[in-house]
Amino acid sequence: MKLKRAFVFWMSGLLLAACEPKGEVVNVYSGRHYATDEALFAQFTRETGIRVNLVKADSDQLLNRIEVEGTNSPADLFITADVSRLSRAAASGLLAPLPEEEVLSKVPAVYRDTEGFWTGLTMRARVIVYAPDRINPEAIATYEDLAKAELGGRLIMRSIQSHYNQSLLASMLLYQGEEAAMAWVRGIVANFAREPQGNDRDQMKAIASGLADVSVVNTYYLGQMLSSANEEEQKVAASLRIVFPNQADRGTHVNVSGAGLLRNAPNRTQAIRLLSYLLERRSQEFLSAGNYEYPVIAEAEWPELLQQWGMFRADTINLNRLNDQLDRALVVARTAGWK
């Protein structure tokens, strides 16, 4: 079904390409570095005749570049792997309000800015990953469980410099307050099997090697490893299992990637057209099937792997409130010893 839908998707673009105007462009500054994104941009060009000029870099670098370029910036759309940078861009006056009909109405309110300056594109669940031969999943049903003493010397995490971890801790600050969040950090630090290091893939490889038993990762990394051309990555991913934490209360924390329209966009109409295109059901399903991220629109069908993992309750915390707590999360983490 997925291949059939993808074939129809590509063929429709070939048929439409000859009918659309030429010479129009949209300039995209993106912190997302995925082949699926570039394939979708190419498809957009084939269907509309609007060329996508893509500039890829770290989201913070792109944000600095937009600020330095000022009114002379050629950027039309700013796309990030996490919406916190979009919140920062909006607070700095760099973004323009998005149109309701073409963009905002397509996305549930929980996955877009309350002021309408940015929208989510995809989301990733931050789940607990574990070795099934050494961990009872009932013992790790919540993020809070990771701080329990019985996991002493069995937990590994990437650094708090990871924005994914900052975002998770920010959510705990909002739900539990600073004292409880501080106690949680001290608990997980006491359970570390090694100093925080590496990325999400490295945590999974370390568990598979026996160095530790449990960690926290984003789901799409596991999906990418399961479909990797590298057989060793496939074996690592296949040996692990995941838990969607906190299903009995606030839900599993999710990281949302998103996009915003630059205030000085020289190609505003084309940028809105691209953003609207990225939020179409077929585009959302294409991104999800290719990158194992979750769509942000409810009507999009999940790929087979995500369906196998099952439905889950996602945390619906206000993303702007979450972003406001990121600096405080860093202070709490460092005070409690999470490097």
Side-chain angles (χ1 to χ4, degrees):
M1 176 63 74
K2 183 172 72 175
L3 290 176
K4 182 178 179 181
R5 179 173 295 157
F7 177 76
V8 172
F9 187 9
W10 294 112
M11 286 303 296
S12 65
L14 293 176
L15 293 172
L16 287 170
C19 305
E20 294 295 335
K22 306 295 183 182
E24 298 178 274
V25 299
V26 56
N27 300 314
V28 176
Y29 284 14
S30 180
R32 287 172 53 95
H33 308 153
Y34 310 123
T36 48
D37 291 30
E38 294 185 41
L40 201 54
F41 294 154
Q43 178 68 6
F44 172 76
T45 298
R46 283 191 285 271
E47 293 189 19
T48 66
I50 300 173
R51 182 162 45 89
V52 179
N53 295 324
L54 180 62
V55 175
K56 296 189 297 184
D58 175 86
S59 294
D60 286 327
Q61 293 173 341
L62 291 172
L63 185 55
N64 291 336
R65 177 170 172 171
I66 293 168
E67 290 175 326
V68 170
E69 291 174 337
T71 56
N72 294 319
S73 176
D76 297 306
L77 280 183
F78 181 33
I79 296 178
T80 66
D82 190 277
V83 295
S84 66
R85 271 58 181 178
L86 292 169
S87 290
R88 190 174 300 173
S92 300
L94 298 175
L95 301 183
L98 295 169
E100 177 70 26
E101 182 176 356
E102 297 100 321
V103 177
L104 296 178
S105 63
K106 295 183 175 183
V107 182
V110 67
Y111 299 129
R112 53 182 165 85
D113 179 33
T114 52
E115 301 298 322
F117 284 102
W118 52 260
T119 179
L121 289 177
T122 64
M123 66 176 185
R124 307 88 175 266
R126 194 139 187 84
V127 298
I128 296 174
V129 62
Y130 67 97
D133 58 333
R134 306 191 294 273
I135 288 281
N136 178 355
E138 294 180 357
I140 49 171
T142 69
Y143 298 113
E144 287 80 356
D145 287 338
L146 300 178
K148 292 181 177 177
E150 49 263 41
L151 289 182
R154 306 171 69 187
L155 171 68
I156 51 175
M157 298 281 279
R158 60 191 293 180
S159 165
I160 192 59
Q161 294 304 316
S162 159
H163 180 79
Y164 300 139
N165 285 340
Q166 293 172 24
S167 179
L168 173 61
L169 182 54
S171 73
M172 301 189 79
L173 275 167
L174 284 171
Y175 280 114
Q176 303 179 352
E178 185 163 323
E179 183 176 350
M182 184 83 75
W184 180 75
V185 175
R186 289 197 169 107
I188 65 167
V189 169
N191 289 340
F192 283 165
R194 67 177 182 188
E195 290 291 314
Q197 58 189 265
N199 56 30
D200 282 14
R201 291 174 190 249
D202 293 326
Q203 312 312 309
M204 289 185 274
K205 292 175 183 176
I207 294 173
S209 74
L211 187 147
D213 297 337
V214 61
S215 186
V216 177
V217 300
N218 278 355
T219 39
Y220 81 117
Y221 288 113
L222 183 61
Q224 289 175 353
M225 290 179 69
L226 285 168
S227 62
S228 171
N230 183 320
E231 291 186 4
E232 287 304 311
E233 284 202 337
Q234 290 183 31
K235 290 179 182 177
V236 165
S239 73
L240 305 176
R241 298 293 182 273
I242 59 173
V243 166
F244 289 92
N246 297 81
Q247 293 303 284
D249 45 63
R250 63 183 182 272
T252 296
H253 181 69
V254 294
N255 296 115
V256 178
S257 74
L261 174 69
L262 274 304
R263 185 183 60 185
N264 297 315
N267 304 291
R268 175 186 170 86
T269 300
Q270 293 79 4
I272 292 173
R273 192 168 177 186
L274 174 57
L275 188 49
S276 178
Y277 181 87
L278 296 176
L279 293 169
E280 290 182 8
R281 172 177 173 170
R282 57 178 179 157
S283 299
Q284 288 279 293
E285 291 178 346
F286 184 78
L287 288 172
S288 185
N291 209 31
Y292 304 104
E293 298 173 283
Y294 290 93
V296 292
I297 64 170
E299 58 267 34
E301 183 178 339
W302 293 4
E304 183 177 352
L305 177 61
L306 272 58
Q307 292 185 32
Q308 289 175 1
W309 287 339
M311 300 294 290
F312 67 99
R313 179 180 181 181
D315 189 349
T316 57
I317 195 168
N318 181 284
L319 294 173
N320 284 329
R321 290 185 62 210
L322 193 68
N323 295 333
D324 289 342
Q325 293 295 317
L326 292 176
D327 289 342
R328 191 61 197 158
L330 264 178
V331 172
V332 168
R334 288 168 176 163
T335 302
W338 189 356
K339 301 178 181 176

